[in-house]
Amino acid sequence: MPEPILTVSHLVKRFDALTVLNDVSFGVCKGEVIVIVGPSGCGKSTLLRCINALEPIQGGEIRLHGERIAADNRNLSTLRQKIGMVFQSYDLFPHMTVLDNILLAPTKVQRRAKAEAKEEAMALLRRVGLSEKANSFPRQLSGGQKQRVAIVRALCMHPEILLFDEVTAALDPEMVREVLEVILDLAEQGRTMLIVTHEMQFARAIADRVLFLDGGNFVESGPPEEFFAHPQTERAQQFLKTFTFERKR
């Protein structure tokens, strides 16, 4: 088993008196796709935000290549550039074109030459089928198109790990597939990814490992074939039953 590039050790996250994550530990290896599932409100999105230091933690630690990710780390900005995050809400600047949204961080944060960054951005837009939308504004795009732009924006920062937080939750069913196909393509490229989703078929297709979060910690983990076909815990069995329906006769 290779050494993890990202480690989460005994993580504790509280909101006032409410403990959302309690003694959470796991590692992520290079090229691994981990899908985190669990009931709404169990802390899945909060976990991703803690990994990117968007939320302060109250215990434990998170390390990338052995370096601690924390607000008091002087290298936090550099570490964050290695962890790309794609949010459910797109977070595109409405007054900027698609291309300008993508180029903002590479040129301002990483100080890369605009011509070089633009060439890469256009290549990525072509890959996701959106090159003709480079000069469009977010209001002129569908939800699925906006989410694909958000993925391209993250990729342009050359992250080592990609975090996807319920990226299809705000989409109409017809738009979900176009976004999931982009993420499946990234998995085929060997990208390291942590994905929070309620799309169980997608989770089964893309995951190398499934982590089931409930009650502040991981109740069960394993390969998707085992988790979905033969869940070991009663809680996981109950959770998966909510995605199947039988008509009472």
Side-chain angles (χ1 to χ4, degrees), residues 50-69:
C50 289
I51 290 172
N52 215 14
L54 296 174
E55 289 285 352
I57 62 176
Q58 284 68 53
E61 63 179 17
I62 303 165
R63 291 182 179 268
L64 180 64
H65 294 300
E67 188 167 2
R68 192 167 57 93
I69 300 173

Side-chain angles (χ1 to χ4, degrees), residues 4 16 20 23 27-28 94-95 111 115 123 129 139 141-142 154 160 171 177 180-181 194 204 213 220 222 245 248:
D16 297 324
V20 179
D23 198 28
V28 184
H95 64 287
R111 305 291 184 184
R139 66 178 180 274
L141 306 180
S142 69
E160 293 189 39
L171 301 180
R177 186 174 184 86
L180 297 185
E181 285 179 347
L194 265 173
R204 190 168 190 165
L213 184 64
E220 189 167 338
F245 298 90
K248 294 180 179 180

Side-chain angles (χ1 to χ4, degrees), residues 75-180:
N75 292 327
L76 180 59
S77 178
T78 301
L79 287 170
R80 273 181 169 160
Q81 292 177 45
K82 298 177 181 179
I83 304 174
M85 188 158 181
V86 183
F87 299 89
Q88 175 181 329
S89 55
Y90 325 127
D91 289 345
L92 301 176
F93 291 107
H95 64 287
M96 299 173 66
T97 66
V98 164
L99 188 58
D100 286 340
N101 264 284
I102 295 168
L103 294 180
L104 184 62
T107 56
K108 299 298 184 183
V109 178
Q110 295 181 332
R111 305 291 184 184
R112 287 163 56 192
K114 187 171 183 178
E116 173 223 334
K118 181 178 179 180
E119 183 178 354
E120 180 181 11
M122 290 305 300
L124 288 168
L125 285 172
R126 282 193 292 272
R127 182 180 291 177
V128 301
L130 289 177
S131 58
E132 78 284 357
K133 299 293 185 180
N135 295 314
S136 298
F137 289 90
R139 66 178 180 274
Q140 298 170 308
L141 306 180
S142 69
Q145 290 171 334
K146 290 177 187 176
Q147 199 58 280
R148 281 183 281 163
V149 170
I151 293 171
V152 168
R153 180 180 57 185
L155 290 173
C156 257
M157 294 293 286
H158 301 162
E160 293 189 39
I161 298 176
L162 283 164
L163 310 179
F164 291 96
D165 183 17
E166 293 283 12
V167 292
T168 61
L171 301 180
D172 293 334
E174 290 182 346
M175 298 177 185
V176 169
R177 186 174 184 86
E178 64 189 48
V179 174
L180 297 185

Side-chain angles (χ1 to χ4, degrees), residues 210-231:
V210 177
L211 303 181
F212 175 54
L213 184 64
D214 187 49
N217 211 319
F218 292 123
V219 176
E220 189 167 338
S221 67
E225 300 82 6
E226 294 181 12
F227 177 78
F228 288 104
H230 306 289

